[in-house]
Amino acid sequence: MMNLLDIKTPAWDQREAFKSDFGLENHGLTNLHGVYWNLPTEALYEEIIFRREGRISLMGPIVLKSGKHTSRAAQDKFIVREATTEDHVWWGEYNRPLAADKFDEIYARLSGFLQGRDVFVQDCYVGADPDYRLPVRIISEYAWHSLFARNMFIKPATHEEYRMHVPDFTVLCVPSFKAFGPIDSTRTSTFIILNFAQRIAIIGDTAYGGEIKKSVFTLMNYLMPLEGVLSMHCSANVGADGEVALFFGLSGTGKTTLSADPTRGLIGDDEHGWSDNGIFNFEDGCYAKVIRLSPTAEPQIYAATHRFGTVLENVIYDPVTRLIDLDDDTITENTRASYPLTFIENAIPEKRAGHPSHIVFLTCDAQGVMPPIARLTPDQALYHFISGYTSKIAGTEAGIGAEPEITFSTCFGAPFMVHHPMVYADLLKRKILRYGVTCWLINTGWTGGPYGVGKRISIQHTRALLKAALSGDLSAVEYRIDPIFGFEVPQTCPGVPDEVLRPAEGWPSPEVYWQRYRELAARFIDNFVRFAADCPPEVLAAGPKREGIAQPR
């Protein structure tokens, strides 16, 4: 905000109470009007309301709009190409190169743009494992982005810790600043640019909160594998006996919903590392998709959307009654809630646990042909991890229409993976074999027909299947070998009708079912061609078979 009248805002007198000795001049930011250092939630609420960035809804959540971008602008993300880091980057669709001199020019203009303006700072950490914890700094133009960062990342515990905080990486988010493509070599006026050498990310012309979160995740995906730690786009929880489960999947596949199980402790809902110490959360908050959230199927997340401190992004509310409407998709299907992990009653305070016993790959199959659950061999697990099959759900990424789209997102998070996929796959396989992990594929998509014909698989059935898998109840049942993919599908499961486990029987025409299944398998094979040269032969052989596609049983 450009405060031309020099008005004292609500937190003006407290803006430097938690100031770090490592000032913003170290980032080349000078002549700022006011720097609001590490304000607590209550003070940020006052600043958000004062600056008319959002409104308070019933029971306290802050409601706001992110503007023209209501999802990630994946095509506008760049990584600075320079000598010290370029050999580690898998350049391509999601890791687009930007010249170092172009970054310097944009950053210089951005620094000049901020002169005379207010900014907000949150000094925090990413990584719950003390051996791999990274100090980060989020500098934002908007107060609500500072609250978002405070919700999502790990906060220092003391005043002295704030004072001594020196960031290893900084995110500078200025939504009102625009790039000029012909000069800056950007695709549009929107940009998300990461510079690993200078340890900084800059974001412009988008206010979508997820860009801040995913920029930090992308950083961890670059740094952690260099230290032998597998960085993962997954949720994680732990049973009463200490048995850890990981849930891989893209947005809309159920990572947050399925991991928020009241009978299990929640480690985290989206981003984790797997070191020799075990599993640890990168974050201290949740960023849940909340469109049509059910108070019965997802009670803990639903409760979090009605608490003071939660940021509701693009959620519709009644300005008179202040009631929110989680069923209204007028702005976007990708309505979001950012809230501290502590809002989930069974969250694990340490945000870390031991090595996993189970890995679950979640796919939202809009074709309606994948079985609701399948057990995978380690090589099959690697094949599906590298493939990352799912259907993109409307709203989670710019450009997605009303109907789901088939996608193969490598490592179940291709837009955030920096190294070649085989780097992550190799780390995963070594850990699966070392710790004897059982791997599962769960379909949370459609059954009885494709999208528009069939129906979404019941969340109750998915929960029952998952419970049986994690408890060991599926160890004693009979399995059939899928004729196309070769994985094992249980014949029965407690609490689930047998016909649910046989998706072909739910289609009006079994012949049409098998034809669609063969078509999907062919898509897997065609997608995997680009990895074949770098992939071990046993993993390549673990995919669907051409002969299986031609002659299903």
Side-chain angles (χ1 to χ4, degrees):
M1 184 179 92
M2 182 71 79
N3 193 344
L4 297 175
L5 300 179
D6 200 27
I7 298 172
K8 291 181 67 174
T9 68
W12 179 261
D13 292 335
Q14 297 81 42
R15 70 189 187 282
E16 295 187 348
F18 289 93
K19 182 179 184 297
S20 167
D21 289 345
F22 191 84
L24 297 193
E25 64 277 4
N26 292 286
H27 306 290
L29 303 179
T30 57
N31 299 320
L32 302 170
H33 177 263
V35 181
Y36 294 76
W37 289 89
N38 299 304
L39 293 182
T41 298
E42 295 78 8
L44 286 169
Y45 257 64
E46 292 173 350
E47 290 291 327
I48 291 168
I49 300 304
F50 179 83
R51 295 163 191 267
R52 303 181 67 84
E53 294 177 9
R55 304 291 292 274
I56 300 175
S57 64
L58 185 69
M59 301 178 71
I62 198 86
V63 182
L64 45 85
K65 298 177 182 179
S66 64
K68 68 176 184 178
H69 286 287
T70 58
S71 58
R72 290 183 296 103
Q75 294 184 328
D76 294 309
K77 190 194 83 173
F78 300 87
I79 292 177
V80 174
R81 188 165 200 158
E82 51 77 40
T84 64
T85 60
E86 66 173 341
D87 290 343
H88 294 289
V89 179
W90 188 44
W91 301 105
E93 179 184 3
Y94 294 112
N95 297 317
R96 299 172 179 84
L98 185 78
D101 61 333
K102 290 297 183 183
F103 175 86
D104 292 340
E105 291 172 9
I106 297 171
Y107 192 81
R109 296 206 319 275
L110 182 56
S111 302
F113 178 84
L114 286 175
Q115 292 190 20
R117 296 175 182 266
D118 291 344
V119 297
F120 294 83
V121 178
Q122 284 293 328
D123 287 327
C124 35
Y125 302 99
V126 58
D129 187 334
D131 291 342
Y132 301 100
R133 179 170 293 177
L134 189 76
V136 296
R137 172 170 289 173
I138 312 300
I139 305 170
S140 58
E141 176 184 15
Y142 295 159
W144 81 262
H145 281 150
S146 198
L147 177 57
F148 176 88
R150 187 174 181 82
N151 280 349
M152 297 309 302
F153 302 117
I154 301 169
K155 293 168 284 296
T158 66
H159 184 281
E160 182 67 9
E161 200 173 346
Y162 275 115
R163 189 180 71 81
M164 299 296 291
H165 190 279
V166 178
D168 275 354
F169 193 83
T170 299
V171 177
L172 178 56
C173 182
V174 187
S176 63
F177 180 84
K178 299 181 179 182
F180 185 59
I183 293 177
D184 297 327
S185 299
T186 56
R187 190 182 69 95
T188 67
S189 57
T190 300
F191 61 88
I192 304 97
I193 308 173
L194 291 94
N195 190 324
F196 294 131
Q198 295 186 23
R199 296 295 185 106
I200 192 166
I202 55 176
I203 301 170
D205 197 32
T206 173
Y208 180 61
E211 300 291 12
I212 296 174
K213 167 187 165 67
K214 293 306 185 184
S215 292
V216 175
F217 183 41
T218 303
L219 166 73
M220 296 299 277
N221 282 330
Y222 173 72
L223 292 178
M224 291 295 97
L226 297 178
E227 299 188 47
V229 176
L230 176 60
S231 53
M232 304 173 293
H233 186 211
C234 72
S235 58
N237 64 23
V238 58
D241 58 354
E243 185 180 58
V244 175
L246 304 182
F247 303 82
F248 286 84
L250 296 183
S251 176
T253 57
K255 290 196 317 300
T256 300
T257 297
L258 293 174
S259 59
D261 182 339
T263 67
R264 297 173 64 87
L266 180 66
I267 304 169
D269 85 318
D270 196 46
E271 301 169 6
H272 292 82
W274 187 354
S275 71
D276 289 341
N277 302 328
I279 299 299
F280 64 99
N281 195 347
F282 286 164
E283 302 176 305
D284 193 24
C286 299
Y287 190 47
K289 189 175 181 182
V290 296
I291 192 69
R292 290 179 285 277
L293 200 66
S294 167
T296 55
E298 298 127 333
Q300 297 194 75
I301 304 172
Y302 184 87
T305 64
H306 292 74
R307 290 190 59 170
F308 179 87
T310 293
V311 175
L312 296 178
E313 195 172 353
N314 299 313
V315 170
I316 299 297
Y317 80 108
D318 186 315
V320 177
T321 65
R322 300 302 176 99
L323 287 166
I324 62 172
D325 185 353
L326 296 179
D327 295 327
D328 194 327
D329 61 359
T330 300
I331 299 176
T332 178
E333 278 273 338
N334 191 36
T335 54
R336 293 278 177 166
S338 164
Y339 50 89
L341 197 61
T342 53
F343 282 12
I344 303 298
E345 292 182 5
N346 58 320
I348 304 296
E350 298 80 11
K351 295 175 284 295
R352 49 197 175 105
H355 299 285
S357 302
H358 296 273
I359 288 176
V360 179
F361 298 123
L362 299 170
T363 182
C364 175
D365 175 32
Q367 304 305 301
V369 294
M370 297 288 279
I373 190 169
R375 188 168 61 188
L376 309 175
T377 67
D379 288 328
Q380 288 171 343
L382 264 289
Y383 185 93
H384 285 274
F385 176 69
I386 295 169
S387 297
Y389 166 68
T390 192
S391 302
K392 287 183 179 178
I393 305 299
T396 56
E397 187 175 307
I400 304 301
E403 293 192 10
E405 296 180 6
I406 288 178
T407 188
F408 292 92
S409 186
T410 309
C411 307
F412 290 95
F416 326 117
M417 302 298 165
V418 182
H419 300 280
H420 190 279
M422 292 310 302
V423 172
Y424 305 100
D426 180 65
L427 281 169
L428 179 62
K429 183 173 184 179
R430 285 193 277 129
K431 291 179 182 298
I432 287 174
L433 294 177
R434 180 177 180 181
Y435 299 106
V437 184
T438 302
C439 300
W440 306 87
L441 180 69
I442 288 184
N443 174 21
T444 61
W446 274 257
T447 188
Y451 175 87
V453 177
K455 62 180 180 179
R456 196 82 187 256
I457 293 173
S458 163
I459 184 65
Q460 287 77 20
H461 290 160
T462 299
R463 287 192 186 280
L465 290 164
L466 179 61
K467 179 181 178 181
L470 301 186
S471 67
D473 288 347
L474 289 185
S475 300
V477 305
E478 292 186 4
Y479 285 78
R480 65 177 174 87
I481 302 298
D482 185 270
I484 292 179
F485 279 86
F487 42 50
E488 297 179 312
V489 179
Q491 299 276 41
T492 59
C493 176
V496 179
D498 290 350
E499 57 269 22
V500 173
L501 297 165
R502 299 189 291 272
E505 297 179 7
W507 279 56
S509 168
E511 291 77 13
V512 175
Y513 168 84
W514 286 110
Q515 178 61 31
R516 293 295 288 265
Y517 202 8
R518 291 194 296 269
E519 290 173 358
L520 178 61
R523 294 283 294 269
F524 267 83
I525 293 172
D526 292 343
N527 171 73
F528 212 83
V529 167
R530 57 193 175 125
F531 306 113
D534 301 303
C535 188
E538 63 272 19
V539 174
L540 188 61
K545 304 297 186 292
R546 288 287 183 185
E547 57 270 24
I549 295 174
Q551 300 291 334
R553 300 197 302 270

